[in-house]
């Protein structure tokens, strides 16, 4: 017999948790369950590469809600259980343990799995990803014995980890395949700025370099061999080369999508009564003419609210641009909009002061801002991006003139 | 532990026991009051933990630049606006009364 829930949520991360919370806030009275494969109740992921890795916050402080909350709101948490089959006709999912769950509506909120190095040695002990609490606990347990750390991937997670490890005074080498850091998500000015900051604080940044294999002894990594032939000694390796959306089960069930699962503006997949949200869902919006996956907490929350409204018959016309933050050293980055496809980059303020913004324009319209220690620009930038304000570089470059 | 009074958006008043050292945002969240989204988990990046300090805030240090800048963008900013994640619970705050700001 399958247990039935009116709303069944698969994935107990940011999106899944917020869907359940918002359903109850909207007065939804049906049964709700969250099936999640991690053992912990929903917790915050961003601190994993920041305060939690640094030991500045205990895990207790990362819980999205206290344990009692879920009970009080009658939200069933089925933890440590992975869904690996979906029958969209019977409207049931099956877990690895063979348990069946029926649903009225299914919300797929499974995030993504860190991409692994598919080269020789990629699975040696001492090679870490940073996606879950378990990942970071393991990493932290090995840190005291490690002196030389090699980080593969110059995206936000790799850079945040590098910043924390420099605080611990580890020797850190960061390897990036592209010619600049953050190449996928930011313009060259921001890339150069972070490169200089990381170098200044002792990170050995290697651009345009790729890993050909990892080497080790007795099953444990002790070196990274670059395509150039150079061999870097490593007591520990961190891999931060992106995530692959966890959508195999949905795709097998027939859901459409190439990079992630495709959803419409109300987060509906091509399967009846099956929604998808967060890191695993690709959606078009006013801010992106093609369907894109956006990996951020605000995006997962926003889509969760969309689904909760859809399931409770409420209108939600929310169209705020995506945003994101990253903390490295004493640099607080706030970004709004999607800079992909910009044609002009306007630097507002002097990067040397460590407080500046980059405003991205496309055909004269503001499409995104990256604000480093410049919360005011970010706060104003949200509405500039939302409204696609037309401007000229001369109008926005001078920091003494507030943004329109 | 210090007592903090939280007034929700619909005007309901609740006294909660807050652990010293945590932020007021965390205390509110831990008490099961779910009106505060606290999207950024206390990084002073989202302003979804906006509250109005209605009483007992005399000993609070004034907001730092980042907090003010984030608050400035709020349509509901008032004289007594604060980001609750930037306020640390201590016995000096016993009796602090905060009202959850409207949703942006
Ligand atoms: C180290 C790190 C730092 C980050 N920093 C920031 C930041 O500063 N700001 C920001 O906005 N975003 C940040 N992010 C991104 C943000 O955490 C994600 O975008 C967000 O968590 C996405 O939410 P989600 O619900 O889609 O997925 P997740 O939060 O990843 O939750 C998905 C859950 O589903 C589980 N799951 C997967 N498959 C199954 C299955 N088949 N059955 C059951 N359960 C399953 C997963 O194990 C996981 O627990 C960071 C991410 C990481 C990893
Ligand atoms: S929780 Fe985000 S600013 Fe306070």
């Amino acid at each position: 017999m399958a247990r039935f829930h009116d709303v069944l949520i698969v994935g107990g991360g940011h999106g899944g948790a917020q869907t359940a919370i918002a359903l109850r806030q909207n007065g939804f009275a049906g049964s709700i369950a969250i099936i999640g494969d991690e053992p912990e109740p929903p917790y915050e992921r961003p601190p994993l590469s920041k305060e939690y890795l640094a030991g500045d916050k205990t895990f207790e402080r990362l819980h999205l809600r206290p344990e009692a909350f879920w009970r009080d709101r009658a939200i069933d948490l089925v933890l440590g259980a992975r869904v690996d089959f979906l029958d969209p006709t019977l409207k049931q999912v099956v877990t690895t343990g063979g348990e069946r769950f029926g649903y009225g509506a299914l919300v797929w909120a499974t995030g993504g799995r860190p991409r692994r190095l598919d080269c020789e040695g990629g699975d040696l002990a001492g090679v870490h990803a940073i996606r879950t609490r378990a990942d970071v606990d393991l990493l932290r347990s090995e840190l005291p014995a490690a002196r030389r750390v090699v980080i593969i991937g110059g995206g936000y997670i790799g850079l945040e980890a590098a910043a924390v490890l420099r605080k611990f005074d580890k020797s850190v080498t960061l390897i990036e395949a592209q010619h600049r850091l953050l190449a996928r998500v930011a313009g060259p000015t921001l890339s150069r700025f972070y490169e200089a900051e990381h170098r200044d604080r002792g990170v050995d940044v290697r651009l345009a370099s790729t890993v050909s294999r990892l080497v080790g002894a007795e099953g444990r990594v002790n070196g990274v061999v670059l395509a150039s032939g150079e061999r870097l000694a490593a007591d520990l390796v961190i891999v931060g080369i992106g995530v692959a959306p966890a959508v195999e089960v949905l795709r097998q069930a027939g859901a459409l999508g190439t990079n992630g699962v495709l959803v419409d503006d109300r987060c509906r997949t091509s399967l009846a009564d099956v929604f998808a949200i967060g890191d695993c869902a690709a959606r078009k919006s006013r801010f992106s003419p093609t369907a894109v996956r956006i990996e951020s907490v605000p995006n997962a929350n926003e889509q969760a609210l969309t689904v909760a409204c859809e399931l409770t018959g409420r209108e939600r016309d929310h169209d705020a641009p995506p945003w994101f933050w990253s903390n490295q050293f004493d640099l607080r980055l706030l970004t709004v909009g999607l800079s992909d496809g910009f044609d002009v980059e306007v630097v507002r303020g002097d990067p040397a002061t460590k407080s500046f913004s980059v405003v991205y324009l496309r055909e004269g319209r503001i499409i995104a801002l990256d604000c480093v220690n410049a919360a005011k620009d970010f706060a104003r930038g949200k509405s500039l991006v939302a409204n696609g304000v037309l401007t000229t570089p001369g109008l926005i470059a001078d920091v003494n003139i507030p943004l329109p | 532990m210090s007592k903090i009074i939280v007034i929700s958006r619909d005007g309901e008043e609740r006294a909660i026991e807050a652990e010293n050292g945590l932020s007021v945002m965390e205390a509110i969240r831990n008490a099961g009051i779910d009106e505060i989204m606290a999207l950024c988990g206390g990084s002073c990046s989202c302003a979804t933990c906006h509250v109005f300090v209605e009483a007992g805030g005399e000993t609070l240090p004034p907001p730092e630049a980042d907090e003010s800048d984030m608050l400035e963008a709020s349509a509901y900013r008032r004289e007594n606006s604060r980001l609750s994640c930037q306020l640390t619970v201590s016995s000096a705050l016993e009796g602090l009364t905060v009202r959850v700001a409207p949703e942006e």
Side-chain angles (χ1 to χ4, degrees):
Chain A
M1 261 292 283
R3 279 156 74 183
F4 177 86
H5 292 90
D6 295 302
V7 177
L8 183 63
I9 299 163
V10 180
H14 281 275
Q18 186 60 49
T19 304
I21 294 169
L23 278 170
R24 290 296 184 230
Q25 276 175 336
N26 288 0
F28 183 77
S31 52
I32 305 177
I34 300 178
I35 305 181
D37 61 2
E38 291 185 72
E40 300 87 5
Y43 63 89
E44 291 173 35
R45 232 169 267 291
L48 292 180
S49 51
K50 308 178 181 76
E51 304 94 318
Y52 187 63
L53 179 60
D56 293 341
K57 262 192 186 177
T58 58
F59 186 72
E60 267 40 61
R61 295 181 67 181
L62 307 192
H63 286 298
L64 279 170
R65 289 293 181 276
E67 296 225 42
F69 176 90
W70 307 105
R71 271 195 310 280
D72 292 348
R73 300 293 194 286
I75 296 163
D76 283 347
L77 296 182
V78 183
L79 301 176
R82 162 180 292 266
V83 168
D84 46 31
F85 183 74
L86 159 64
D87 183 334
T89 318
L90 267 180
K91 296 179 81 172
Q92 286 187 354
V93 302
V94 187
T95 64
T96 311
E99 251 190 300
R100 281 177 179 272
F101 293 82
Y103 59 83
L106 181 71
V107 182
W108 198 259
T110 52
R113 271 183 275 284
R115 286 191 212 290
R116 303 172 58 99
L117 280 181
D118 58 5
C119 65
E120 188 187 324
D123 50 6
L124 287 166
V127 179
H128 297 268
I130 304 184
R131 180 74 195 181
T132 62
R133 180 214 187 166
D135 290 340
V136 178
D137 284 353
L138 181 64
L139 170 57
R140 287 188 48 178
S141 73
E142 293 183 8
L143 267 185
R147 196 168 56 79
R148 295 154 308 185
V149 180
V150 173
I151 299 177
I152 301 172
Y156 285 121
I157 292 179
L159 292 173
E160 288 181 350
V164 170
L165 294 175
R166 283 303 297 147
K167 249 176 55 183
F168 289 150
D169 216 22
K170 305 291 178 193
S171 130
V172 179
T173 306
L174 186 136
I175 299 168
E176 166 57 49
Q178 303 292 316
H179 289 270
R180 56 185 182 92
L181 301 174
L182 300 170
R184 208 167 49 87
V185 289
T189 303
L190 198 80
S191 299
R192 296 290 169 236
F193 173 77
Y194 275 101
E195 179 189 334
E197 286 295 321
H198 278 263
R199 286 193 201 283
D200 271 1
R201 326 240 182 171
V203 178
D204 180 1
V205 178
R206 307 293 189 91
L207 299 174
S209 52
T210 51
V211 173
S212 73
R213 66 199 156 91
L214 304 190
V215 290
E218 290 164 23
R220 202 181 163 80
V221 74
N222 64 17
V224 175
V225 181
L226 301 180
S228 63
E230 186 182 356
R231 184 187 155 141
L232 307 167
D235 306 314
L236 202 134
V237 171
I238 298 174
V239 181
I241 54 174
V243 299
V247 294
E248 303 81 357
V249 173
L250 272 192
R251 295 271 277 285
Q252 245 160 34
L256 298 178
T258 43
N259 174 21
V261 65
L262 200 61
V263 298
D264 67 8
D265 57 340
R266 292 191 252 167
C267 296
R268 296 178 294 197
T269 67
S270 58
L271 303 174
D273 299 316
V274 179
F275 298 81
I277 60 171
D279 284 9
C280 69
R283 178 164 89 153
K284 269 191 217 171
S285 74
R286 210 148 68 72
F287 307 100
S288 163
T290 53
V292 284
R293 292 193 303 109
I294 296 175
E295 295 171 10
S296 77
V297 169
N299 175 67
N301 269 267
E302 180 45 44
Q303 298 188 344
L305 299 183
T306 299
V307 170
C309 285
E310 182 68 11
L311 291 173
T312 49
R314 295 192 177 203
E315 282 300 315
R316 181 175 173 84
D317 96 56
H318 183 95
D319 210 9
W323 64 274
F324 182 81
W325 72 95
S326 172
N327 301 332
Q328 299 162 43
F329 308 111
D330 53 354
L331 308 170
R332 295 191 352 98
L333 171 72
L334 288 162
T335 136
V336 56
L338 299 173
S339 58
D340 200 33
F342 71 90
D343 48 35
V344 180
E345 205 188 42
V346 183
V347 182
R348 189 179 148 74
D350 180 2
T353 63
K354 298 190 210 278
S355 165
F356 68 102
S357 302
V358 182
V359 186
Y360 300 92
L361 307 183
R362 185 168 60 219
E363 290 165 8
R365 291 187 189 279
I366 298 178
I367 57 166
L369 290 92
D370 281 323
C371 311
V372 177
N373 294 337
K376 210 174 249 169
D377 283 356
F378 169 73
R380 289 196 115 93
K382 279 186 163 179
S383 72
L384 298 178
V385 175
N387 300 322
V389 168
L390 269 172
T391 186
T392 55
L395 287 175
I396 51 176
D398 185 350
V399 268
N400 297 314
I401 306 170
L403 285 172
Chain B
M1 289 287 182
S2 307
K3 195 175 76 183
I4 291 180
I5 294 151
V6 185
I7 307 169
S8 66
R9 292 197 179 114
D10 55 17
E12 195 193 321
E13 217 175 287
R14 264 187 66 186
I16 63 173
E17 287 296 322
E19 190 180 325
N20 293 343
L22 292 187
S23 69
V24 170
M25 176 279 280
E26 288 172 292
I28 296 176
R29 189 165 83 167
N30 291 351
I33 298 173
D34 61 6
E35 284 184 329
I36 284 196
M37 279 246 236
L39 275 184
C40 77
S43 286
C44 198
S45 303
C46 69
T48 61
C49 64
H50 185 179
V51 296
F52 305 122
V53 175
E54 305 225 311
E58 296 76 16
T59 61
L60 283 173
E64 302 220 1
D66 263 2
E67 185 186 339
S68 293
D69 290 349
M70 291 302 297
L71 280 168
E72 196 169 293
S74 166
Y76 304 102
R77 179 170 202 175
R78 294 189 203 150
E79 196 70 31
N80 58 348
S81 282
R82 294 301 302 258
L83 294 180
S84 57
C85 70
Q86 301 302 305
L87 311 177
T88 307
V89 177
S90 70
S91 27
L93 292 190
E94 178 74 26
L96 180 81
T97 304
V98 298
R99 181 185 292 274
V100 179
E103 199 171 355
E104 296 284 330

